[in-house]
Amino acid sequence: MHLVLTKISDFCITMNQRQLFLQHVAQTSPAPLALEIVKAEGCTLWDVNGKAYLDLISGISVCNMGHRHPKVVAAIKEQSDKYLHLLVYGEYVETPQVAYAKFLSDHLPASLNCVYFTNSGAEATEGAMKLAKRVSGRTEIVAFQHSYHGSTQGALSVMGDEYWRNAFRPLLPGIRHLTYNDLTQLNQITKSTACVIAETVQAEKGVNIPLKGWLQALRNRCNETGTLLILDEIQAGFGRTGTLWAFDQYGIVPDILLLGKALGGGMPLGAFIASHSLMATLTRDPVLGHITTFGGHPVCCAAGLAGMKALVEEKRVDEVFHKTGLFKTLLKNRLIKDVRSAGLLIAVEFESFDINKKIIDRCIENGLITDWFLFAPECMRIAPPLVISEEEIRTACDIIIRACEG
Ligand code: PLP
């Protein structure tokens, strides 16, 4: 079934999909997973040979409601029957966009009531930084070590890791990186700082959780200096950490919120969200201060809205801490040094990347998809769909523990 016939003059060359993938699809690493997945549903993926895999990473925190949630699929079909792309973002009144922006606003603090839809998380980061510069009239930006906000040049400029950044210099000027959770450095945020950008929970550092007092102090310092606070919940939002928004656990509200990943219910969608009055600055001097052709695509908005409605109606967020507890109870082995969690964003720490990689490879062989973190390669990523069942959690942990035992 996975054989493709390519006719070149009189010769018939047979190539399988994997070879075609390696040859014609631009690669991001020398060692892609290269599994050929033909179907996905709930927490399960099936490859071309019919082998089933339990998905413990949700396409990196995207499929919070599982793969192909029936309501998401139905919304995609329904919207495709009406219209696809009509015009660049922000001109026509597109019902799926309006309905989703309203639903998001209804589930956010009152000051976050205006949604700018983008295609991706990185674009949300870019838009938010531009908005902060426009609103404040300042140019300096403060970000944090070990943060990840996307791979475009602006987002890369605020990324908190020199190894990943350096090859692409020159990047944006005026960026200052502080140490996450360090109260003593907050005085480096001044009246020249346009914005501070932070992940509410640092995911790629292997789940680095903010100290409650630190996020409060960060908010206070931004208030004192007239600096906008941007919180990136592209990975931590949509119930992943046990509350609908991770910042709900810290008693603060950002000026701008970044969303992506689960926002689209499995379709590409990002957003930066602020108050209506802040967002209005992008409409003048210059007009069209931020534009996108496809941002807020109607099919993606319809899918995302259906996914978020299902998340709320099925009360999946309420189950998160119980499921996290089950993972933590079952993940005990002499090779496991630590298990850190922010709800169902879990890092299982091993002694080294080599040990982690060996265990991850054995898990994949045994039908369990997991991964490591960009800035914490010694940690195994566990970020399953929030709909994962207790039985699936037991199966997953059993495979991990057996992999640890060799
Ligand atoms: N911010 C965070 C916290 C992320 O985890 C990611 C992606 O992994 C992004 C931003 C960038 O999102 P995208 O890959 O959709 O551009």
Side-chain angles (χ1 to χ4, degrees):
M1 179 175 158
H2 66 295
L3 292 182
V4 168
L5 296 178
T6 311
K7 194 157 194 267
I8 298 180
S9 39
D10 293 329
F11 298 100
C12 223
I13 296 177
T14 306
M15 283 182 119
N16 68 30
Q17 287 291 314
R18 189 173 184 281
Q19 285 169 315
L20 291 170
F21 163 74
L22 293 174
Q23 189 164 346
H24 296 294
V25 178
Q27 297 294 305
T28 57
S29 87
L33 265 181
L35 295 173
E36 194 182 337
I37 302 299
V38 294
K39 188 170 161 76
E41 198 160 296
C43 298
T44 308
L45 309 174
W46 287 270
D47 77 7
V48 69
N49 301 310
K51 178 172 170 179
Y53 297 85
L54 187 51
D55 181 4
L56 221 48
I57 54 175
S58 318
I60 313 296
S61 303
V62 168
C63 309
N64 282 17
M65 293 306 291
H67 294 272
R68 294 177 60 251
H69 189 286
K71 290 194 170 154
V72 172
V73 174
I76 291 171
K77 288 182 178 161
E78 196 184 323
Q79 181 54 38
S80 327
D81 280 341
K82 293 179 185 157
Y83 56 86
L84 304 178
H85 175 76
L86 294 179
L87 187 58
V88 294
Y89 179 75
E91 293 297 330
Y92 292 149
V93 180
E94 299 190 14
T95 305
Q97 260 177 18
V98 178
Y100 200 10
K102 172 77 169 74
F103 195 74
L104 282 162
S105 304
D106 289 346
H107 289 82
L108 282 163
S111 58
L112 296 172
N113 61 3
C114 193
V115 182
Y116 193 118
F117 286 113
T118 61
N119 299 284
S120 66
E123 283 175 75
T125 303
E126 299 287 341
M129 290 196 294
K130 283 171 70 183
L131 176 61
K133 283 181 172 175
R134 259 314 263 111
V135 167
S136 66
R138 307 171 184 173
T139 54
E140 184 185 285
I141 294 176
V142 164
F144 292 95
Q145 302 294 349
H146 309 302
S147 56
Y148 184 83
H149 301 291
S151 197
T152 52
Q153 296 205 57
L156 195 59
S157 306
V158 286
M159 181 195 281
D161 190 295
E162 190 54 18
Y163 169 75
W164 300 95
R165 245 182 357 226
N166 192 36
F168 302 98
R169 289 192 182 283
L171 293 167
L172 280 183
I175 312 282
R176 186 190 296 254
H177 284 92
L178 306 184
T179 306
Y180 196 82
N181 270 340
D182 186 345
L183 285 166
T184 66
Q185 294 189 3
L186 295 183
N187 59 6
Q188 294 183 49
I189 299 164
T190 68
K191 290 190 171 159
S192 302
T193 315
C195 62
V196 173
I197 179 166
E199 286 172 85
T200 315
V201 173
Q202 285 195 317
E204 296 307 315
K205 183 53 187 162
V207 189
N208 191 22
I209 297 165
L211 302 172
K212 265 191 187 157
W214 180 74
L215 266 186
Q216 286 276 5
L218 177 62
R219 176 69 273 183
N220 291 342
R221 184 65 187 160
C222 286
N223 292 347
E224 280 162 25
T225 54
T227 300
L228 293 168
L229 177 60
I230 303 174
L231 285 184
D232 178 342
E233 297 216 358
I234 288 167
Q235 201 160 159
F238 288 93
R240 169 81 31 212
T241 68
T243 44
L244 187 55
W245 314 113
F247 66 75
D248 290 339
Q249 294 172 43
Y250 297 90
I252 60 156
V253 176
D255 299 297
I256 308 176
L257 176 67
L258 307 186
L259 297 178
K261 293 194 182 276
L263 176 70
M267 298 290 279
L269 193 63
F272 56 104
I273 305 179
S275 69
H276 187 265
S277 58
L278 287 192
M279 206 63 98
T281 53
L282 290 177
T283 65
R284 52 180 189 263
D285 304 326
V287 66
L288 304 174
H290 192 69
I291 44 179
T292 163
T293 298
F294 287 122
H297 191 284
V299 176
C300 302
C301 285
L305 175 60
M308 188 176 167
K309 278 188 173 165
L311 177 75
V312 173
E313 282 160 17
E314 293 178 24
K315 298 193 185 336
R316 292 299 181 177
V317 185
D318 299 352
E319 302 167 1
V320 166
F321 288 127
H322 173 69
K323 291 176 179 177
T324 309
L326 188 55
F327 270 111
K328 288 186 116 167
T329 307
L330 297 171
L331 288 173
K332 299 231 158 72
N333 183 272
R334 68 185 170 84
L335 291 185
I336 296 175
K337 301 280 160 216
D338 192 15
V339 180
R340 285 185 295 282
S341 64
L344 283 172
L345 183 60
I346 302 173
V348 182
E349 186 177 331
F350 296 97
E351 190 68 48
S352 64
F353 171 65
D354 287 347
I355 295 175
N356 189 25
K357 172 82 169 65
K358 216 175 273 173
I359 293 169
I360 289 170
D361 287 348
R362 282 187 202 135
C363 286
I364 294 171
E365 263 168 47
N366 292 316
L368 183 75
I369 306 278
T370 174
D371 189 15
W372 59 87
F373 291 91
L374 201 58
F375 308 140
E378 71 288 359
C379 293
M380 177 189 282
R381 182 194 304 270
I382 298 185
L386 308 186
V387 299
I388 192 169
S389 68
E390 287 198 18
E391 195 188 335
E392 285 168 324
I393 294 174
R394 287 181 195 283
T395 303
C397 292
D398 187 47
I399 294 174
I400 295 169
I401 297 301
R402 276 194 285 123
C404 288
E405 284 161 4

